[in-house]
C-alpha cells in the first residue's frame, strides 16, 4: 500500500472536521464573540429554566462551561462593562455571587437567536429539509461513535476535574 493511500481516510476525516471549524461564525453574531454568546446563552437558559432564583452562581457557570472561575470572572467583567450581565452577592451566602442577564443582554440574545434561526433556514433551503436532517443525523451518529471510542481510549491519568467537565460539556 502506498504511503499516501495509508493516510487517505485519516486526512479526509481531519480535513472535513477542520472545514467546519474556520467558518466565520462571528459574522453571524453582532456585538459579541461566539465565546461571549455561549456565556450569555448559558445564563439565559438557566434563567428560563429556574425563574424562581435570581441567577446562576458564578461557580456553577464555571463548572458548566468547563473553565476556571477566574476565566469566568474575566469574561463576565467584559460583559458587565457592556451592561449585558450583572452580578449580585447571594444574601444567603455572601461567598457566592449570582450572575444574570440585564434587559439589554436578554434583548441581545433574542436578536442573535433570530439571526441564527434565519441563517439556519437559509442553510436548510440550500440543502433541502430532508437532506439537512440526514446530514444532521449523520453528524450526531458520528459524534456518538467517536464519543464511544474515545471513552474506551480514556487516558489513565485523566483528572477528576476533567472527568467532571466531560459530563457538563456533553450537554
Amino acid at each position: 500500500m502506498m504511503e499516501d493511500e495509508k493516510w487517505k481516510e485519516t486526512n479526509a476525516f481531519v480535513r472535513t472536521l477542520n472545514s467546519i471549524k474556520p467558518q466565520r461564525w462571528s459574522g453571524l453574531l453582532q456585538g459579541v464573540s461566539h465565546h461571549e454568546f455561549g456565556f450569555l446563552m448559558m445564563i439565559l437558559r438557566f434563567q428560563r429554566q429556574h425563574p424562581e432564583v435570581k441567577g446562576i452562581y458564578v461557580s456553577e457557570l464555571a463548572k458548566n462551561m468547563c473553565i476556571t472561575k477566574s476565566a469566568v470572572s474575566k469574561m463576565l467583567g467584559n460583559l458587565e462593562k457592556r451592561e449585558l450581565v450583572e452580578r449580585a452577592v447571594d444574601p444567603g451566602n455572601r461567598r457566592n455571587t449570582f450572575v444574570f442577564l440585564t434587559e439589554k443582554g436578554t434583548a441581545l440574545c433574542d436578536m442573535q437567536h433570530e439571526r441564527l434561526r434565519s441563517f439556519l433556514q437559509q442553510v436548510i433551503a440550500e440543502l433541502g429539509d430532508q437532506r439537512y436532517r440526514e446530514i444532521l443525523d449523520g453528524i450526531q451518529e458520528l459524534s456518538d461513535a467517536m464519543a464511544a471510542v474515545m471513552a474506551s481510549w480514556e487516558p489513565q491519568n485523566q483528572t477528576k476535574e476533567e472527568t467532571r467537565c466531560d459530563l457538563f460539556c456533553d450537554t
Side-chain angles (χ1 to χ4, degrees), residues 16-27:
T16 300
L17 290 180
N18 284 338
S19 73
I20 295 170
K21 186 179 177 185
Q23 298 298 325
R24 299 282 179 223
W25 300 112
S26 58

Side-chain angles (χ1 to χ4, degrees), residues 20 134-144:
I20 295 170
E134 290 168 356
I135 292 169
L136 203 57
D137 289 345
I139 292 170
Q140 184 62 58
E141 189 176 340
L142 176 63
S143 177
D144 292 346

Side-chain angles (χ1 to χ4, degrees), residues 27-30 32 37 41 44 48 105-123:
L28 291 173
L29 303 174
Q30 293 182 331
V32 291
F37 184 60
M41 290 306 296
L44 179 64
R48 289 187 174 161
T106 301
L108 180 82
C109 285
D110 290 341
M111 185 267 299
Q112 299 296 2
H113 182 263
E114 203 47 47
R115 285 180 58 81
L116 290 171
R117 196 175 69 72
S118 175
F119 170 78
L120 185 56
Q121 287 175 334
Q122 290 177 36
V123 169

